[in-house]
Amino acid sequence: MIEVRNLSKHFSHEGRRIAALDDVSLQVAAGEIYGIIGRSGAGKSTLIRCLNLLERPDSGTVKLGEQELTALPEGELQLRRQRIGMVFQHFNLLRSRTVAGNVRFPLELAGGLTPAQMDARVDELLQLVGLADHKEKRPSQLSGGQKQRVGIARALANHPDLLLCDEATSALDPETTDSILALLADINRQLNLTIVLITHDMRVIRQLCDHVSVMDHGKVVEKGSVLDVFLQPQHAVTRSLLAETGFGQGERVDAWRARIGVPLLKLTFVGEPTLSPVLDKVGRETGLRVNLLSGTLSEIRDTPCGQLLVGVVASDVELPALPEIFAREGVRCEVLA
Amino acid sequence: MSGFDPSLLLTVDWPEIGTATLDTLTMLGVSLLFTIVFGLPLGVLLYISAPGQLRARPRLYAVMSFLVNVLRSLPFVILLIVLIPLTLLLVGTSIGVAGAIVPLVVGAIPFFGRLVENVLREVDRGVIEASQSMGAKLPQIVFKVLLPEAMPGLIGAATVTAVALVGYTAMSGVIGGGGLGDLAIRYGYQRFQTEVMIVTVALLLVLVQALQSAGDALVRRCRFG
Ligand SMILES: Nc1ncnc2c1ncn2[C@@H]1O[C@H](COP(=O)(O)OP(=O)(O)O)[C@@H](O)[C@H]1O
Ligand SMILES: [Mg+2]
C-alpha cells in the first residue's frame, strides 16, 4: 500500500541544520494499522506529513499503491489528497462552520455531489462517529473527544483509502483516548481502511497497531510487528518508551541481579500459554522455584501476552536446560545469568 | 474665547448642516465601499505572498509592502494635494464630494489592506494545513477557509477603517471637499461661528459612535459560538 524509500528532510533552525528525517524507509500493507512512535522531536510529524506531501522531502520517494506521489504535479497531488484522510492532534476544525458544515467541507472541495447527496453523506458520517445529535453545534460547544470525532468524520468524507493520524489522541484524557482508539479500530475493520498513526504513547501502539516503527533523531531505529517489538525490543529508545507499559525492562535486569544475587529468567508468553499455569507445571516437573521480580500480563491488540522477570531460587535441572523445557509449553525463556 | 450662548443654535443654518451631513455620509459610504473592494484583495495578496506563506513571493511582497508603507506614511493633507491631477482625470473635478472620494480611497486602501493582512495572519495555521491535506486549491482556501474564519476580524478592520475615513472626510474640507468637516472649517474656523463648529463636531462624534456600535454588533453576531 505505502512504500517509503530513503526519505530525508532537513530544516535550518537558527543557523543549525537539523535532520528531521534521515534516510527513512518503511512499508505499510493495505488494511493494516501502522504505528510510528518516538519521543517529541524525533521526526514523526515530518514523516507523516511527507506521506501526503504537506512536507516535501529533500530526497526519497513515497509510493501509494502503484502511484509515486513524489512524482505527481501539484494539481494531481491535490486530487489524490482528497482520498487521503488526515486527523490532527488539535483537531483543526473550522470555527466558522457547524459540525455538519465541517464534515461537508471536504465534499465541497471535491465537488461532484449535489447538495442533497452531500447532506446524506454528512448524516451517514456523523452516524458512523456517533455525533448525529450534535449536527448543528459549533466546534466550540464540543468536548475534545467530540471534536476529534468530527475530525475523523471529515477525514473519511471522500472515501479515503488511507487515513493519517498525527497524535490524534494526545490532547485527550485516557478514557476519551480509549473511545477514539476503539472508533479507529472499528473504522479500520469496517472500511478495511489502512491507517498510519503517530504517537509518543506505547499504549496506543499496543491497543491498535499491527506493525510499528520506532523513531529517534530522524531515523527509524527499530521496526517490526508490535508483538515482536514489545516482547523483544532491541533498541534502547524502544525499551525506554516501553518502560511504563511493563514490557521490555531489560535495562533493569542488572540492578535486580546485583541486588538479589541469583540467576534471572525472562519469560515471555504469547497467546494461549499466557492463560495457563505454565510456571506451576514446570515447577513441579523440574523443582524450579522462582521469586517473582516484575512483569506484566496484558493484551497486544487482541492477543494475550506477558513477560515476567523471575529470580531462580532453586532448580533440579541445569539452567541451560530451562529454555528447552519452557519452549515445550510454548513459553520463551531467556537465562540472564 | 467668550462663553457659548445656547440661543445661538437657533441661528445655525440647519438645512446647510443637513446637506453637509448627507455629503459626509455619501463620501464615507462610497469611499468605504471602494476601499473594501480594493483593500480586501490587497490584504489577501499581501498575506499569501509574504515569505513562508501559501504562495510566497518575497520580492513581490517587498514591493507591495513598501508601496503600502509609502502611502501610509504620507500625511492625508499632502495626499489630498498630490492626488489632484489623478482625481481630475478620474472624476473630472478635484473639489466637492466627488473630488474627495479619490484621495479618501487611495489613502484608506493601504491602511485597510494592512489590517486585513494582519487579521489573516491570525487564522490558525493548523486549519489551513488541514484544508491543504484535503486537497484544497488556493482559491478554495481563500474563500472557504481564510475569509470565513477571519470574518470577525475583518469586520473589525472595516470598522476601524470607517472611523478613520470619517476623520479623513473632515480633513478633506481643506480642499473644499464638502461635508461636515468643510462646514466646520468654513464657518467655525474662518468665520468664528463657534456654534456651527460645535454642531458639526457633535454630529461627527455621533457618526463615529454609530459606526463603532454597528461594527461591534456585527462582530458579536458572527463570532463563532
Ligand atoms: N518547519 C520547521 N522548521 C524548522 N524545524 C522544524 C520544522 N518542522 C520540524 N522541525 C524540526 O524537525 C524535528 C522533527 O520535528 P517533528 O517531525 O515535528 O517531530 P515530532 O513530531 O516527532 O515531535 C524537530 O527538531 C523540529 O524542531
Ligand atoms: Mg509531532
Side-chain angles (χ1 to χ4, degrees):
Chain A
M1 168 76 199
I2 309 177
E3 189 170 343
V4 170
R5 269 212 203 142
N6 310 109
L7 279 195
S8 293
K9 174 82 189 181
H10 293 85
F11 290 111
S12 305
H13 186 65
E14 287 167 2
R16 283 189 313 137
R17 233 165 89 92
I18 299 170
L21 293 180
D22 187 355
D23 198 27
V24 169
S25 299
L26 52 86
Q27 284 179 17
V28 179
E32 77 165 323
I33 304 186
Y34 195 100
I36 297 164
I37 188 162
R39 295 204 189 89
S40 164
K44 309 181 295 293
S45 294
T46 308
L47 176 56
I48 204 166
R49 290 157 50 81
C50 280
L51 297 186
N52 59 4
L53 295 189
L54 279 183
E55 200 84 72
R56 279 268 167 197
D58 297 339
S59 60
T61 57
V62 177
K63 265 175 92 173
L64 280 194
E66 288 307 300
Q67 197 171 37
E68 189 180 326
L69 283 196
T70 30
L72 286 185
E74 188 66 19
E76 277 178 54
L77 180 62
Q78 280 169 345
L79 217 59
R80 186 63 183 88
R81 276 188 190 142
Q82 289 171 0
R83 295 189 47 250
I84 305 175
M86 192 162 193
V87 176
F88 303 86
Q89 179 175 5
H90 298 293
F91 324 122
N92 296 351
L93 303 178
L94 292 158
R95 294 183 309 155
S96 56
R97 289 180 175 230
T98 60
V99 167
N102 269 283
V103 179
R104 204 185 159 93
F105 179 68
L107 300 173
E108 292 174 19
L109 294 182
L113 292 185
T114 66
Q117 286 171 323
M118 285 193 211
D119 289 341
R121 179 76 183 134
V122 168
D123 287 344
E124 196 178 303
L125 288 158
L126 289 178
Q127 199 77 45
L128 177 72
V129 300
L131 282 182
D133 297 338
H134 302 276
K135 232 182 128 177
E136 296 310 322
K137 285 194 179 160
R138 296 278 179 172
S140 58
Q141 296 166 299
L142 300 179
S143 69
Q146 290 170 328
K147 285 183 197 167
Q148 198 56 293
R149 283 168 189 271
V150 179
I152 291 170
R154 176 176 75 174
L156 297 177
N158 285 317
H159 303 283
D161 51 7
L162 171 62
L163 183 66
L164 307 174
C165 304
D166 186 346
E167 305 262 8
T169 57
S170 299
L172 306 174
D173 61 62
E175 270 167 50
T176 315
T177 294
D178 285 347
S179 80
I180 294 292
L181 294 182
L183 176 62
L184 289 174
D186 256 13
I187 290 167
N188 166 252
R189 250 191 314 263
Q190 275 184 40
L191 310 176
N192 193 30
L193 178 65
T194 312
I195 300 180
V196 175
L197 63 85
I198 67 180
T199 181
H200 59 262
D201 183 355
M202 273 294 187
R203 282 177 317 152
V204 173
I205 302 284
R206 178 168 70 75
Q207 288 181 38
L208 211 56
C209 295
D210 301 299
H211 287 90
V212 61
S213 280
V214 182
M215 287 192 72
D216 188 46
H217 289 103
K219 285 195 175 68
V220 171
V221 294
E222 182 160 1
K223 62 184 162 190
S225 81
V226 172
L227 270 174
D228 288 347
V229 170
F230 266 69
L231 298 175
Q232 307 296 333
Q234 303 299 314
H235 197 276
V237 170
T238 316
R239 280 196 287 269
S240 88
L241 286 165
L242 279 171
E244 65 190 273
T245 67
F247 285 100
Q249 24 168 356
E251 284 168 349
R252 276 189 243 158
V253 168
D254 287 339
W256 286 116
R257 197 159 27 203
R259 205 178 306 166
I260 53 177
V262 298
L264 304 182
L265 301 178
K266 189 161 120 187
L267 304 171
T268 301
F269 303 75
V270 180
E272 186 54 33
T274 318
L275 310 172
S276 332
V278 174
L279 254 183
D280 185 60
K281 187 165 177 237
V282 172
R284 263 181 286 131
E285 285 171 10
T286 64
L288 176 70
R289 287 198 299 134
V290 297
N291 176 8
L292 183 54
L293 297 174
S294 82
T296 186
L297 290 176
S298 171
E299 276 186 335
I300 291 178
R301 265 211 114 168
D302 296 320
T303 310
C305 59
Q307 206 155 50
L308 299 179
L309 189 64
V310 298
V312 178
V313 179
S315 174
D316 297 343
V317 299
E318 297 288 316
L319 287 182
L322 283 173
E324 177 68 35
I325 294 166
F326 272 102
R328 262 181 262 144
E329 307 299 326
V331 172
R332 186 186 156 109
C333 169
E334 293 161 81
V335 182
L336 311 168
Chain B
M1 205 185 276
S2 59
F4 176 67
D5 177 359
S7 69
L8 281 174
L9 284 176
L10 295 174
T11 70
V12 170
D13 183 351
W14 288 103
E16 179 145 27
I17 297 259
T19 316
T21 306
L22 253 156
D23 284 353
T24 293
L25 288 176
T26 311
M27 282 191 284
L28 179 65
V30 176
S31 56
L32 184 61
L33 183 73
F34 280 104
T35 300
I36 291 174
V37 166
F38 293 106
L40 193 61
L42 172 66
V44 171
L45 208 59
L46 282 168
Y47 170 79
I48 61 175
S49 67
Q53 293 293 353
L54 294 169
R55 285 289 180 281
R57 298 281 182 278
R59 228 173 286 156
L60 173 71
Y61 178 78
V63 171
M64 285 194 301
S65 189
F66 177 72
L67 289 178
V68 163
N69 288 344
V70 167
L71 282 174
R72 288 191 59 193
S73 63
L74 281 184
F76 186 63
V77 188
I78 308 268
L79 200 59
L80 279 174
I81 296 160
V82 170
L83 284 178
I84 287 177
L86 178 69
T87 308
L88 276 172
L89 195 76
L90 285 177
V91 293
T93 172
S94 69
I95 57 166
V97 172
I101 284 173
V102 172
L104 284 172
V105 171
V106 172
I109 285 174
F111 180 72
F112 183 62
R114 192 64 97 183
L115 289 182
V116 169
E117 181 195 3
N118 287 332
V119 168
L120 295 181
R121 281 193 183 170
E122 296 298 312
V123 173
D124 185 4
R125 275 223 68 106
V127 175
I128 297 168
E129 196 168 290
S131 55
Q132 286 176 314
S133 82
M134 292 179 253
K137 302 179 186 68
L138 184 64
Q140 291 176 318
I141 294 177
V142 170
F143 290 104
K144 285 181 180 286
V145 182
L146 278 175
L147 296 180
E149 289 289 295
M151 196 47 77
L154 292 175
I155 294 172
T159 308
V160 171
T161 305
V163 170
L165 275 170
V166 172
Y168 290 169
T169 62
M171 259 190 269
S172 69
V174 172
I175 58 154
L180 290 168
D182 187 34
L183 210 61
I185 288 172
R186 277 193 288 124
Y187 289 82
Y189 178 67
Q190 288 164 354
R191 299 190 210 161
F192 305 105
Q193 292 185 9
T194 315
E195 61 282 5
V196 176
M197 180 103 100
I198 287 174
V199 169
T200 52
V201 169
L203 283 172
L204 288 170
L205 180 64
V206 168
L207 182 55
V208 168
Q209 285 283 1
L211 284 171
Q212 191 64 51
S213 306
D216 290 347
L218 269 179
V219 170
R220 238 175 290 125
R221 262 191 51 190
C222 83
R223 201 174 286 146
F224 314 120

